[in-house]
């Protein structure tokens, strides 16, 4: 890094040079005693990375210097030296394009190290602004990662070759990072930023986006080469130190041979989310194990929910869901599993809510609240979102509770167990030992809608459940929810939700990302 120190006080320049030399290696440090000399030095050294300048100087002050440099050489980072009574000048300098300021009276090695870090980040941002094409290429390669993880029989050698021909499946390392950032081009800039940082350290790498906040970095070797003085620093620390990226949590894996890459990568992604969800710095092996106690929780939940809803015991059903969340968090169950079974149970609550049979807006409201419980970062966020859904459900279900006859309760139980099958009102009437015409009138009187409308709504609610919790195709979901004609499924789905199945699925996948 090439740096120009500008101050009319020789001792300040000397002290600044000493601090710089203590803060980093391989620095080239130039000096100037006023703004005019500094501008001449800049014109002779247009590859300068950083100018550290005083404000009050003869011939040309720091503000004039800042304005000239930013107009002629905008890629040079500028840090201002100031006294306590110079703050009005500092604000002007920041408006003119200075990156930061340092108080002379409190100047320390930490201040200098911070200035060097900001200069490197500034340089990175300038480089990113010129590298849009490469960023686009990394975004395109990110799609390969999504496709690789979704395949039933993934071809690992072909996947790695498509990412980077020099990348070998032997001695392969993968770094997963949950990050936040503030870049003009979003995740594309974050990808390019991490890729360039590692590339500058002679690490052949490919940086991909698993999601907007999760990056995956593929490279060969367990211990990549690093710059002098960085031997003990993990890569996430280097990324935070030398870029405007905040790493919230990370995990890594190293494989002598990537024959089982897909399963290992999926497990590592679960581990990454597990760390953040439970706020854990480290994970013990037994915390990720699938114990018998963990396996019993969802089975008990679904059994209890089914029993309570058969008799419209909504309070008890919600309490069983609260118990499931508390027990799952106590046992440190996988966040994805907790969400999956909560969503399944949640849609069964929605299907049982009397108000949704006659009001699409109520279904949409509950559906949005349930969707908001998915893909959250921490268990506290999930608990808050789940509580909001359950409160809304109870308010609507209790307010709209109906006194149902034993025959209709038995009908609801039968529909819940057989909605995926093709059956008629005649079969339902035979099941409850009632005349078909009488049952039709009784059903509409007690439920507020005809039998066929009720059955279709139940099927659509379960279709939404499958879209949220599985990877089945639309045709499979239509068949699994009792629709033999996919066009009819689409028509009914849109009538009830206001969207086609594909629009609904797309909206769920592109919902605003949560922190």
């Amino acid at each position: 890094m090439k740096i120009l120190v500008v101050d009319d006080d020789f001792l300040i320049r000397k002290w600044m040079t000493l601090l710089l030399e203590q803060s980093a290696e391989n620095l080239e440090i130039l000096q100037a005693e006023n703004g005019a000399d500094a501008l001449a030095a800049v014109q002779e050294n247009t590859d300068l990375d950083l100018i550290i300048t005083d404000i009050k100087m003869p011939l040309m002050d720091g503000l004039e210097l800042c304005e000239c440099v930013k107009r002629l050489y905008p890629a040079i980072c500028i840090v201002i030296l100031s006294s306590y009574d110079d703050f009005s000048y500092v604000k002007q300098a920041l408006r003119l394009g200075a990156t930061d300021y340092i108080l002379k009276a409190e100047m320390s090695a930490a201040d200098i190290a911070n200035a060097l870090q900001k200069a490197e980040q500034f340089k990175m941002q300038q480089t990113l602004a010129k590298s849009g094409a490469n960023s686009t290429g990394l975004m395109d390669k990110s799609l390969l990662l999504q496709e690789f993880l979704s395949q039933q029989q993934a071809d690992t050698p072909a996947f790695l070759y498509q990412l980077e021909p020099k990348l070998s499946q032997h001695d392969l390392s993968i770094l997963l990072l949950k990050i936040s950032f503030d870049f003009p081009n979003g995740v594309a800039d974050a990808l390019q930023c991490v890729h360039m940082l590692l590339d500058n350290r002679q690490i052949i790498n490919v940086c991909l986006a698993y999601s907007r906040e999760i990056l995956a970095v593929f490279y060969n070797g367990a211990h990549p080469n690093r710059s002098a003085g960085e031997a003990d620093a993990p890569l996430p620390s280097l990324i935070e130190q030398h870029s405007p990226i905040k790493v919230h949590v990370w995990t890594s894996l190293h494989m002598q041979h990537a024959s089982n890459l897909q399963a290992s990568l999926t497990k590592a992604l679960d581990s990454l989310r597990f760390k953040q969800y439970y706020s854990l710095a480290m994970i013990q092996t037994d915390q990720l194990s699938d114990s018998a106690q963990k396996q019993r929780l969802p089975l008990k939940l679904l059994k209890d929910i089914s029993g309570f809803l058969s008799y419209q015991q909504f309070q008890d059903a919600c309490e069983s869901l609260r118990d499931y969340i508390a027990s799952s968090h106590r046992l440190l169950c996988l966040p994805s599993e907790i969400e999956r079974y909560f969503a399944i149970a949640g849609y069964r609550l929605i299907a049982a809510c009397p108000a949704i049979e006659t009001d699409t807006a109520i279904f949409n409201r509950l559906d949005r609240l349930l969707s908001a419980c998915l893909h959250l970062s921490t268990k506290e966020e999930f608990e808050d979102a789940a509580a909001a859904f359950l409160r809304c459900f109870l308010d609507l279900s209790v307010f709209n509770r109906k006194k149902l006859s034993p025959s209709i309760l038995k009908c609801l139980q039968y529909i819940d167990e057989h909605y995926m099958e093709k059956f008629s009102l005649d079969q339902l009437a035979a099941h409850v030992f009632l005349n078909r015409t009488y049952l039709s009138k009784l059903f509409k009187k007690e439920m507020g809608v005809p039998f066929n409308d009720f059955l279709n709504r139940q099927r659509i609610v379960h279709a939404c459940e499958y879209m949220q919790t599985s990877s089945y195709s639309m045709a499979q979901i239509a068949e699994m929810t009792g629709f033999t004609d996919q066009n009819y499924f689409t028509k009914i789905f849109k009538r009830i939700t206001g969207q086609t199945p594909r629009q609904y699925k797309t909206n769920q996948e592109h919902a605003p990302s949560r922190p």
Side-chain angles (χ1 to χ4, degrees), residues 318-319 321-323 325-326 329 342 349 365-366 369-370 372-374 376 379-395:
C318 289
E319 195 57 42
L321 252 175
R322 293 189 188 98
D323 290 343
I325 294 170
H329 286 169
F342 180 83
L349 292 182
R365 182 181 176 189
L366 289 171
L369 284 171
L370 185 55
C373 298
L374 308 180
L376 295 173
K379 66 183 183 70
E380 289 79 15
E381 291 175 357
F382 176 75
E383 288 166 352
D384 289 344
F389 167 75
L390 293 174
R391 279 196 305 272
C392 182
F393 169 77
L394 277 175
D395 288 344

Side-chain angles (χ1 to χ4, degrees), residues 121 124-125 128 179-191 193 212 243-248:
Q121 292 177 4
M124 177 68 69
Q125 289 171 329
L128 287 174
I179 65 171
S180 59
F181 48 83
D182 184 17
F183 286 120
N185 297 315
V187 68
D189 280 358
L191 288 174
C193 182
R212 186 183 182 279
S243 75
I245 292 175
K246 171 68 177 174
V247 179
H248 297 285

Side-chain angles (χ1 to χ4, degrees), residues 385-427:
F389 167 75
L390 293 174
R391 279 196 305 272
C392 182
F393 169 77
L394 277 175
D395 288 344
L396 292 169
S397 61
V398 173
F399 179 77
N400 292 277
R401 187 196 298 270
K402 302 171 182 177
K403 183 67 175 178
L404 302 178
S405 64
S407 294
I408 295 300
L409 284 173
K410 195 172 181 181
C411 285
L412 296 182
Q413 186 175 4
Y414 185 87
I415 292 170
D416 183 58
E417 293 172 354
H418 298 275
Y419 69 87
M420 69 294 294
E421 302 168 10
K422 185 176 180 179
F423 68 92
S424 65
L425 182 60
D426 288 324
Q427 289 171 279

Side-chain angles (χ1 to χ4, degrees), residues 16 119 126 180 233 294 319 380 436 489 506:
M16 176 65 69
Q126 296 296 311
S180 59
K294 291 180 180 180
E319 195 57 42
E380 289 79 15
R436 179 190 186 282
F489 166 67
T506 300

Side-chain angles (χ1 to χ4, degrees), residues 157-287:
F159 166 66
L160 294 176
Y161 184 82
Q162 285 178 297
L163 294 186
E164 168 56 59
K166 296 179 182 178
L167 201 61
S168 171
Q169 61 181 318
H170 300 283
D171 197 27
L172 179 68
S173 289
I174 301 173
L175 176 66
L176 299 174
L177 305 154
K178 178 68 183 287
I179 65 171
S180 59
F181 48 83
D182 184 17
F183 286 120
N185 297 315
V187 68
D189 280 358
L191 288 174
Q192 182 67 359
C193 182
V194 175
H195 172 70
M196 288 168 54
L197 279 170
L198 302 186
D199 198 46
N200 290 340
R201 286 162 175 79
Q202 290 77 53
I203 304 171
I204 296 174
N205 73 91
V206 180
C207 188
L208 309 173
Y210 174 72
S211 68
R212 186 183 182 279
E213 300 91 2
I214 298 178
L215 304 188
V217 185
F218 292 74
Y219 60 90
N220 287 124
H223 304 287
N225 297 324
R226 302 188 179 110
S227 301
E230 296 179 343
D232 298 326
L235 291 181
S237 297
L238 295 178
I239 291 169
E240 277 201 316
Q241 182 180 350
H242 298 291
S243 75
I245 292 175
K246 171 68 177 174
V247 179
H248 297 285
V249 65
W250 62 276
T251 191
S252 62
L253 65 151
H254 178 72
M255 310 175 72
Q256 293 296 334
H257 188 275
S259 56
N260 199 24
L261 177 60
Q262 188 185 44
S264 298
L265 188 52
T266 300
K267 187 175 180 180
L269 286 164
D270 283 340
S271 173
L272 181 73
R273 189 175 180 210
F274 190 90
K275 277 184 175 182
Q276 186 176 34
Y277 190 82
Y278 290 108
S279 301
L280 299 172
M282 298 293 293
I283 298 178
Q284 305 297 326
T285 304
D286 62 328
Q287 291 175 327

Side-chain angles (χ1 to χ4, degrees), residues 351-371:
C353 180
I356 74 156
E357 303 308 332
T358 55
D359 196 335
T360 294
I362 289 177
F363 165 77
N364 289 335
R365 182 181 176 189
L366 289 171
D367 181 50
R368 284 194 299 271
L369 284 171
L370 185 55
S371 298

